[in-house]
Amino acid sequence: MRIVRGLEESRRALHEGRGLGLDDVPQLLLDGIADMFGEPLTPLQVVERIVRRVRLEGDVAVHEYTKFLDGKSPNTLEVPRAAIQAAREQTSTEVVDALEVAAERVRTFHEACLTRGWVDYGEGYGQVVNAVSSAGAYIPGGTALYPSTVLMTAIPAKVAGVEQVVMCTPTKDGEMPRPAVLTAAEIAGVDRVFRIGGAQAIAAMAYGTESVPRVDIICGPGNIFVTLAKKLVYGDVGIDGLYGPTETVVMGDETSNPTLCAVDMLAQAEHDVLARPVLITTSERLAETVDSEIASRLERLDRGAIARASTQEQGCIALVDSMDDALALANEFAPEHICLMMDDAWQHLGKVRNAGAIFIGDFSHEVLGDYVAGPSHVMPTAGTARFNSGLGVHSFVKTSPVVALSSVTSAKISKAAAVLGRTEGLTAHAEAAEIREELF
């Protein structure tokens, strides 16, 4: 891996090429689009075309684009309830048990995170909390298999009180989703499952079709076309966020275990050639040993070619002078995951201001966060942790302030309201406040 030294050089290395990747489109992808559509189009132009037609034509457009892009469209978009219920019998006991363990921890964590309403009768105000009525979960699929993402999106929605959770996932040649994915849907309480993917699935959930119900919010990760579609439909429907390539920052010092640092970085690197594994450390010894460990372990990985591309092209080992510099750098980078694997990690927790999720110590590794720790693994990437949080029950609720003032309190503060109304030139506002004073 590339080792860079000093705060400024590290800052440049970490921010190089950073972003959601929606504008920096590889020529190979553009060539593929031109071959498929018969004309040069950007991904955004493709998505705009798909979303417009699905909005206007419903199922007809969904079937057409699914057949065009995936090779075949199923006769019925929705997965029958019987198929969902039967999937458990087609899934190994070991996988079912693992899904149950994960589901229980995810459910318990999010129940603890619930926001509750409150009222202060003395002051005459409060807040009510209501869940959205419906949510759509996008689960990447096709040749991939992500039952964990089903749990991480649908369970927080159900815990929040969402009445109907709809799930869309692409499948190969219009087949049924994999049994493990359907089993996860059943365990998570998903109400309806549709075997469609891409921008057409996002548009279908955003606007509704003859088969797919319109939802209030769409959540979940996806490729560039899914992400662009979420961005395009936002405002007509809520979204949880926009997600780019996954990333992890490991923080270490001279006390850190280099083997554990290396394997955690490789676990991130094998996701995608664009995944970004980063080590920030104050120790020259740790930097060099981790680099050596990563190089030796790449050969034994099933996805070694992917991990090698990630570590060499996207990865970085940043060597800085102090832990204060390391934490400042991490906060600027605002990673999806940050792993505090240095001495006395707890004392540094309060200094981490920008991160999707924080993992403390050698045994709270990020892989557990991917599957069974409890929080959702759908986290902000590409620096969006500066202003966004990971998916949770808060993603599916709305808060409404309640104002119920006594006549005494109303009269007490109406004069200030009237003054401010007249200051802003809104005399009707002022009179509406003043008349309450007179009535009192």
Side-chain angles (χ1 to χ4, degrees):
M1 291 183 70
R2 177 172 48 157
I3 299 179
V4 294
R5 291 172 170 81
L7 184 59
E8 291 306 316
E9 185 65 25
S10 297
R11 182 179 285 124
R12 283 193 290 271
L14 262 62
H15 289 286
E16 186 179 283
R18 191 83 187 288
L20 291 171
L22 302 182
D23 300 315
D24 186 18
V25 183
Q27 187 60 45
L28 185 64
L29 178 58
L30 294 175
D31 291 342
I33 291 173
D35 289 343
M36 182 167 286
F37 285 86
E39 58 181 310
L41 298 171
T42 66
L44 178 58
Q45 288 171 324
V46 170
V47 170
E48 287 174 335
R49 182 176 296 187
I50 293 172
V51 169
R52 187 183 308 113
R53 285 203 54 203
V54 171
R55 186 174 189 175
L56 294 174
E57 301 174 30
D59 280 357
V60 170
V62 172
H63 279 292
E64 182 177 320
Y65 279 115
T66 299
K67 181 178 180 180
F68 179 62
L69 297 171
D70 298 337
K72 185 176 181 180
S73 181
N75 293 329
T76 304
L77 298 176
E78 186 166 5
V79 175
R81 196 70 211 171
I84 299 173
Q85 294 168 341
R88 185 181 286 252
E89 298 301 320
Q90 302 163 23
T91 307
S92 73
T93 301
E94 183 180 41
V95 171
V96 172
D97 290 346
L99 289 170
E100 293 281 13
V101 168
E104 180 59 27
R105 289 191 61 89
V106 173
R107 191 173 291 111
T108 301
F109 174 85
H110 286 93
E111 285 172 350
C113 295
L114 278 169
T115 301
R116 292 173 172 82
W118 58 274
V119 175
D120 185 324
Y121 292 101
E123 292 294 338
Y125 50 41
Q127 177 176 271
V128 296
V129 179
N130 291 298
V132 299
S133 297
S134 58
Y138 186 86
I139 311 300
T143 58
L145 183 66
Y146 294 110
S148 61
T149 304
V150 179
L151 304 181
M152 300 292 184
T153 52
I155 291 177
K158 281 297 183 181
V159 169
V162 177
E163 295 175 6
Q164 180 173 248
V165 175
V166 172
M167 179 180 121
C168 285
T169 187
T171 61
K172 185 179 180 181
D173 296 326
E175 298 172 352
M176 287 293 178
R178 305 276 194 89
V181 171
L182 292 179
T183 299
E186 190 265 332
I187 290 172
V190 173
D191 296 286
R192 301 177 70 180
V193 178
F194 296 86
R195 42 184 167 162
I196 52 175
Q200 62 268 30
I202 300 300
M205 290 189 286
Y207 301 113
T209 72
E210 295 86 345
S211 298
V212 183
R214 180 177 183 175
V215 300
D216 297 318
I217 184 170
I218 297 172
C219 63
N223 62 20
I224 185 173
F225 299 99
V226 169
T227 303
L228 283 169
K230 287 174 70 177
K231 187 175 184 180
L232 199 61
V233 302
Y234 176 63
D236 293 324
V237 65
I239 63 169
D240 55 338
L242 302 174
Y243 305 111
T246 187
E247 56 200 21
T248 285
V249 167
V250 174
M251 305 285 290
D253 60 16
E254 66 280 355
T255 69
S256 303
N257 184 316
T259 300
L260 297 183
C261 292
V263 296
D264 287 357
M265 293 171 71
L266 286 171
Q268 189 68 203
E270 73 172 351
H271 274 294
D272 185 348
V273 295
L274 296 178
R276 184 166 287 202
V278 173
L279 171 66
I280 303 177
T281 182
T282 56
S283 169
E284 179 87 35
R285 180 196 63 83
L286 182 68
E288 293 178 353
T289 308
V290 167
D291 185 38
S292 177
E293 283 264 4
I294 286 174
S296 65
R297 289 177 176 275
L298 278 169
E299 302 303 324
R300 70 188 73 176
L301 299 178
D302 290 346
R303 293 168 65 88
I306 292 172
R308 182 181 299 280
S310 167
T311 54
Q312 292 182 353
E313 301 298 325
Q314 304 297 328
C316 174
I317 296 176
L319 187 62
V320 295
D321 294 334
S322 68
M323 193 50 66
D324 284 342
D325 282 351
L327 288 161
L329 186 62
N331 280 323
E332 288 180 28
F333 188 68
E336 179 184 12
H337 315 108
I338 188 168
C339 306
L340 304 183
M341 299 177 71
M342 73 286 273
D343 189 34
D344 293 331
W346 277 103
Q347 75 175 11
H348 298 293
L349 174 61
K351 301 173 186 176
V352 178
R353 300 183 59 84
N354 300 326
I358 306 167
F359 300 84
I360 298 177
D362 289 350
F363 294 96
S364 299
H365 53 98
E366 194 270 320
V367 168
L368 294 182
D370 283 344
Y371 296 116
V372 295
S376 174
H377 69 204
V378 180
M379 291 286 171
T381 66
T384 59
R386 291 179 296 107
F387 55 81
N388 201 14
S389 304
L391 186 72
V393 287
H394 60 274
S395 306
F396 302 98
V397 299
K398 309 160 295 174
T399 59
S400 301
V402 176
V403 179
L405 302 170
S406 68
S407 57
V408 173
T409 302
S410 178
K412 183 179 178 181
I413 63 177
S414 285
K415 180 175 177 58
V419 169
L420 293 173
R422 292 192 183 281
T423 298
E424 295 182 355
L426 302 175
T427 53
H429 279 64
E431 290 179 0
E434 290 163 347
I435 198 170
R436 262 63 176 200
E437 288 186 90
E438 296 170 7
L439 288 174
F440 181 73

